[in-house]
Amino acid sequence: MSLALSLPEAAPPRSVRWPRWPVALLLPALLLAAWQIASQRGWIAPGILPAPGEVWLTLRELWESGDLASHAAWSMGRVVQGFLLGAAGGLLLGTAMALSPRFEAYVRPSFLAIAQVPVIGWVPLLMLPLGIEEVLKLVILTKAALVPVTLNTRDGLRAVPQRWVEVALAFRYSRAQLLRHVVLPAAVPPVFTGLRYGLTSCWKALVAVELLASSEGLGYLLVWGRQMFQMDLVIAGILVIAAIGFAFDAVLARIEARLQRWRAA
Amino acid sequence: MSAADRLRGLVLPLLLLAAWQGAVTAGYGDPRLLPPPVEVLRRAWQLLVAEDLPLALAISLGRCLAGFALGALLGLGFGLLCGLSRAADRLLGPAFHALKNVAVFAWIPLIAMWFGFGEASRIAFVTLAVLTPVALNVWEGVAGVPKPLLEVGAAFRFGGWQRLARIRLPAALPAILTGLQLGLIHAWLATVGAEYFLAKGTGLGGVLIEGRDKFDMALVLLGILLLGGIGLLLNQLLTRLAARLAPWRAA
Amino acid sequence: MTLQQDRSGWLTARGVGKRFAIAGREVRALAGLDLDIASGEFIAILGASGCGKSTLLRLFAGLETPDEGEVRHAGARISGPSLARGIVFQEHRLFPWLTVAQNVEAALLNAPGSKPAKRQTATELIALVGLSGFEGAYPHQLSGGMAQRAAIARGLVNRPDTLLLDEPFGALDALTRAHLQRELRRIWQRQRTTTLLVTHDVDEALLLGERVVVMTPRPGRIARIFALPPELPRDHADPDFARLRGKILATLDAGPAVPAAGLTEHAA
Ligand SMILES: Nc1ncnc2c1ncn2[C@@H]1O[C@H](COP(=O)(O)OP(=O)(O)OP(=O)(O)O)[C@@H](O)[C@H]1O
Ligand SMILES: [Mg+2]
């Protein structure tokens, strides 16, 4: 107590400490204001950049008509399916590769070759046999999630520091115990990094396939907006895509933090 | 990797090839979709020696490097600014982090409307695709220099510039190199992406479109091979360079 | 056979050699090393940094195998780790994803006994090293010294007949160190666990050891073994103690001077 009393209420500020939120919003707010004014005065053609108010109106219209919900539902449904399939496959494949060098020797070169070719390459190839329907999208999205999840799982399981493995050896852990009590917990962070990366990459791939071949979904909304020269629609679509991408990542980040309470803050 | 392992790696591709040839021989599937492997090889060779393909590749690579240079420069500048200056971090950080959530291809319609379908628009897209990973890694690298290292600098009474040149930049170099490496990969993907979305048949992306439209499986396969192969090559090039520049970085 | 003979030869090294490759060059970490430790003995191992103390300990732990010669425990050749030999590493090596209690219990995974019994044992050892109240803490929430104490508890929890300690008190402050040294001595006196303590600290060796083994580097071998008279007062002021201390320091100093390019000396 006496110690606390002898201290000043707060440490004297070394530099001016700005509260976080207002500052974070300052620049966007200024930009927004400038943008709105410039549009109103007619300095920026609405075909180049519509006024923020107009984008907001479009967003509200999309929301009220239910179009937004239905396009977003299409997109999110595709991503969730592709991600679940790809992540499950990636966890299995990565674990198998980490545990069995023999299996890895058989699979890794082919896997890397497939991983090396990006979505933009697979689309035209797969379009020929699969058409442009949902199967194509599912295959592409699954691949997008599979690759990072596999690689991170494999590396995470393999790269468990020797110093912990030795502790387990000293206490005579069996192979199964080593896996369950040391390798898996130690691999949680890299595996989760892989999952987050997989989801992000899925979302990116989704936009690409929807731009190319789709008649519903957020990517299609962008295409439509562009074809109709409705800039407000395009910008509204971009905003929604960013928001959902952010939300996906935030959810996984939350789970990740839960699973890793043992990590130093 | 042992010789046996290398042979094992060949098993799957060979099996696939055998299955392919088998399917063709047995007469399964549309011959347009499933031409015999030899036919694809022959056609690929034809295309490679013809002038069009090397030219398309040169165009794509040029675009990729131009966009990379521009994006890396901007990304480095932005990342350093935000990583070194608290004010910049607070001011620009949130907006940047919000925008980085936009899946990169979503910018395409916007870019198309602003820059049209010409070269400017393609370069702009590549630049944008490079900017994000470079800025992010530089930023985190510079801002995340371990405190103990900075304290060493403080103990030896380093000045601001000394701290930057002797501690922050060397400590952040691995992260910066990672950013550049990611940037180059993204540049290559974005180049082909831009050609695919924003062009009428130029570069490697144009080759892919042509193959798809003509139902020319050989052309599509060749395009994909080049797409993957060149990506791999660019990546290895930068990995080597990075190993030279920051040998203390863990492999 | 006399009792004395029965006790000797509990832990032995015969003609042990160990080589490592560093940057393509061969380093002889140990060469022609003989050591015979009696059951219940407390051995302190002293030596300059890099002379192979940790390597010797890891050989006894079964984490390394000798390139030449052999190491034995209770007559059997050591071919791998055993719960009968507890080890405390130079760094604490706690699992960061487990709490203190869970870390200590993790050592009991393959020990006989019921779960509650194991929990009880773990709690006792945590109390022994003075960490009661921190059972639920994660390693990153502990100070360096606390983490090292948790590691000591983990090394002891199996009640091993042989305890291998690699500079376990290196990271501790003087007070905690003195406290734990006393605790260790008490545990040893009570249980007569054969103990090998690697240390840099001559006083610690003299305080705890029955025999002090002094090693010299490049290649690592035993320079001399000092048997401390049982009645030796563990007290700096005592003339016998001071004399022994001086002799040990002289032996440490007399080791071959470290050449500037130490690695090249034994280049393969
Ligand atoms: N895993 C390893 N790989 C290569 N060299 C090693 C390895 N372990 C030990 N060495 C080498 O063996 C020699 C002895 O190392 P050791 O760790 O046993 O020394 P030490 O006496 O415990 O030193 P310190 O007191 O500093 O802990 C050193 O020259 C070291 O470089
Ligand atoms: Mg050591």
Side-chain angles (χ1 to χ4, degrees):
Chain A
M1 266 286 100
S2 60
L3 198 72
L5 284 178
S6 67
L7 288 171
E9 283 292 315
R14 272 175 306 149
S15 58
V16 187
R17 280 250 178 142
W18 296 342
R20 257 186 186 283
W21 273 106
V23 181
L25 291 178
L26 185 66
L27 188 74
L30 279 178
L31 276 177
L32 220 60
W35 175 10
Q36 179 71 36
I37 291 169
S39 303
Q40 274 174 356
R41 303 263 166 105
W43 294 339
I44 308 177
I48 297 293
L49 204 60
E54 202 175 325
V55 175
W56 173 245
L57 272 181
T58 309
L59 264 176
R60 268 188 52 185
E61 256 172 49
L62 278 171
W63 175 257
E64 276 159 12
S65 68
D67 281 355
L68 187 63
S70 102
H71 284 298
W74 268 103
S75 293
M76 285 165 74
R78 284 170 182 150
V79 162
V80 167
Q81 277 180 32
F83 174 70
L84 288 181
L85 262 173
L91 286 173
L92 278 177
L93 197 60
T95 309
M97 273 161 59
L99 294 186
S100 158
R102 157 104 22 133
F103 177 77
E104 178 168 31
Y106 280 110
V107 171
R108 191 169 167 89
S110 307
F111 173 81
L112 288 183
I114 292 175
Q116 190 58 45
V117 176
V119 169
I120 205 74
W122 289 112
V123 171
L125 179 73
L126 293 172
M127 250 180 185
L128 295 182
L130 297 180
I132 59 167
E133 296 309 313
E134 290 306 304
V135 192
L136 171 77
K137 285 161 204 148
L138 192 61
V139 171
I140 298 273
L141 294 185
T142 302
K143 184 258 169 189
L146 180 85
V147 171
V149 175
T150 305
L151 288 176
N152 278 278
T153 305
R154 184 252 176 218
D155 291 350
L157 289 175
R158 272 283 172 86
V160 171
Q162 187 61 21
R163 56 179 192 278
W164 293 328
V165 175
E166 276 185 353
V167 172
L169 288 178
F171 297 127
R172 300 197 54 79
Y173 282 16
S174 64
R175 212 174 137 78
Q177 285 172 330
L178 179 69
L179 192 65
R180 149 119 176 59
H181 294 284
V182 180
V183 175
L184 286 183
V188 167
V191 169
F192 231 90
T193 308
L195 287 174
R196 274 177 78 174
Y197 198 75
L199 190 57
T200 312
S201 118
C202 233
W203 190 239
K204 280 188 193 155
L206 170 93
V207 175
V209 273
E210 283 189 348
L211 283 181
L212 280 174
S214 172
S215 50
E216 63 287 293
L218 296 169
Y220 170 72
L221 203 64
L222 296 184
V223 176
W224 174 254
R226 193 188 80 193
Q227 281 168 354
M228 297 290 110
F229 290 99
Q230 285 187 343
M231 201 61 176
D232 48 330
L233 198 57
V234 172
I235 291 182
I238 289 178
L239 288 178
V240 175
I241 287 173
I244 295 180
F246 174 78
F248 271 144
D249 197 55
V251 169
L252 279 196
R254 256 280 173 65
I255 303 176
E256 184 174 23
R258 266 282 164 85
L259 283 175
Q260 301 181 35
R261 265 171 313 157
W262 49 269
R263 283 194 130 184
Chain B
M1 200 198 280
S2 70
D5 277 355
R6 240 170 250 168
L7 286 181
R8 289 191 179 112
L10 287 178
V11 170
L12 270 184
L14 287 178
L15 275 179
L16 189 75
L17 210 63
W20 180 3
Q21 182 63 56
V24 171
T25 319
Y28 282 124
D30 184 339
R32 273 194 314 173
L33 281 183
L34 212 62
V38 192
E39 172 62 25
V40 171
L41 217 63
R42 205 181 51 76
R43 190 84 182 87
W45 178 249
Q46 267 181 1
L47 289 164
L48 269 180
V49 291
E51 272 180 16
D52 298 1
L53 202 63
L55 185 69
L57 279 184
I59 291 177
S60 287
L61 272 174
R63 233 168 238 159
C64 168
L65 292 181
F68 174 69
L70 213 60
L73 219 61
L74 289 173
L76 268 171
F78 187 78
L80 281 176
L81 181 68
C82 290
L84 292 176
S85 145
R86 254 174 106 94
D89 174 292
R90 295 251 175 117
L91 210 63
L92 303 172
F96 177 78
H97 283 293
L99 283 179
K100 78 166 198 249
N101 284 302
V102 179
V104 67
F105 286 113
W107 292 113
I108 281 192
L110 197 72
I111 288 178
M113 290 176 88
W114 280 347
F115 298 97
F117 284 84
E119 197 58 32
S121 135
R122 287 188 286 266
I123 300 277
F125 180 61
V126 178
T127 304
L128 190 67
V130 175
L131 178 88
T132 319
V134 175
L136 219 69
N137 277 280
V138 172
W139 184 343
E140 276 170 11
V142 177
V145 173
K147 209 160 166 201
L149 287 184
L150 289 173
E151 282 172 357
V152 174
F156 294 134
R157 307 195 51 78
F158 281 14
W161 280 112
Q162 286 174 322
R163 263 205 305 270
L164 180 65
R166 307 271 164 160
I167 302 179
R168 274 190 193 273
L169 285 183
L173 190 58
I176 295 175
L177 290 171
T178 305
L180 290 176
Q181 207 167 341
L182 275 174
L184 189 59
I185 300 172
H186 284 196
W188 177 239
L189 300 187
T191 302
V192 181
E195 289 164 359
Y196 204 91
F197 286 107
L198 287 167
K200 307 277 170 267
T202 69
L204 190 56
V207 172
L208 285 170
I209 297 184
E210 191 188 330
R212 184 200 63 195
D213 290 347
K214 289 192 190 155
F215 255 68
D216 188 343
M217 202 62 174
L219 195 55
V220 175
L221 278 175
L222 187 65
I224 286 185
L225 227 62
L226 288 171
L227 178 56
I230 291 175
L232 196 68
L233 226 67
L234 287 175
N235 194 18
Q236 298 240 313
L237 218 71
L238 264 202
T239 310
R240 290 268 162 84
L241 195 69
R244 273 274 171 88
L245 289 176
W248 69 92
R249 178 168 78 151
Chain C
M1 273 192 187
T2 68
L3 193 73
Q4 189 58 42
Q5 273 166 332
D6 265 347
R7 280 189 27 157
S8 78
W10 180 248
L11 207 57
T12 57
R14 290 267 169 276
V16 164
K18 182 75 191 170
R19 295 181 297 265
F20 289 108
I22 299 181
R25 291 181 189 280
E26 192 181 70
V27 180
R28 286 206 286 163
L30 296 174
L33 187 140
D34 292 305
L35 186 60
D36 189 330
I37 299 164
S39 155
E41 216 181 350
F42 198 124
I43 298 279
I45 301 180
L46 273 174
S49 176
C51 74
K53 304 182 297 290
S54 295
T55 306
L56 180 62
L57 210 71
R58 290 167 58 80
L59 283 165
F60 281 127
L63 287 169
E64 307 270 7
T65 47
D67 294 317
E68 297 141 25
E70 60 174 17
V71 279
R72 288 177 173 273
H73 175 212
R77 191 188 183 120
I78 295 173
S79 59
S82 155
L83 293 187
R85 297 185 300 274
I87 182 162
V88 178
F89 292 92
Q90 205 166 348
E91 336 83 70
H92 64 72
R93 298 203 188 186
L94 297 174
F95 294 140
W97 51 87
L98 298 182
T99 63
V100 168
Q102 288 167 337
N103 261 295
V104 176
E105 282 170 43
L108 293 167
L109 207 57
N110 292 314
S114 67
K115 226 182 161 124
K118 287 181 181 177
R119 181 147 303 160
Q120 175 66 28
T121 318
T123 312
E124 280 168 30
L125 274 137
I126 290 170
L128 181 72
V129 297
L131 281 181
S132 298
F134 289 93
E135 289 88 349
Y138 284 99
H140 78 260
Q141 296 166 321
L142 303 178
S143 71
M146 289 162 84
Q148 197 58 24
R149 281 188 275 160
I152 292 171
R154 184 176 66 177
L156 282 169
V157 75
N158 275 302
R159 309 248 182 252
D161 64 36
T162 302
L163 189 57
L164 306 168
L165 304 161
D166 195 348
E167 298 187 34
F169 307 140
L172 305 185
D173 65 279
L175 269 177
T176 319
R177 173 194 290 238
H179 167 71
L180 280 174
Q181 284 170 344
R182 272 197 305 278
E183 283 301 333
L184 183 62
R185 194 168 166 78
R186 199 172 52 75
I187 295 167
W188 173 71
Q189 278 170 342
R190 205 170 55 205
Q191 300 177 342
R192 289 286 153 178
T193 310
T194 312
T195 306
L196 245 81
L197 171 77
V198 166
T199 175
H200 270 133
D201 179 349
V202 178
D203 287 335
E204 182 170 281
L206 280 169
L207 180 67
L208 294 170
E210 287 180 295
R211 285 196 289 160
V212 175
V213 174
V214 178
M215 290 178 65
T216 49
R218 276 165 257 280
R221 42 170 112 243
I222 293 175
R224 207 166 152 191
I225 301 178
F226 295 88
L228 311 194
E231 66 284 2
L232 178 78
R234 316 270 160 156
D235 173 7
H236 282 266
D238 181 80
D240 285 340
F241 185 94
R243 202 170 307 124
L244 206 54
R245 190 167 185 276
K247 270 204 222 163
I248 290 174
L249 283 170
T251 315
L252 277 170
D253 275 342
V258 181
L263 290 185
T264 56
E265 202 185 10
H266 300 288

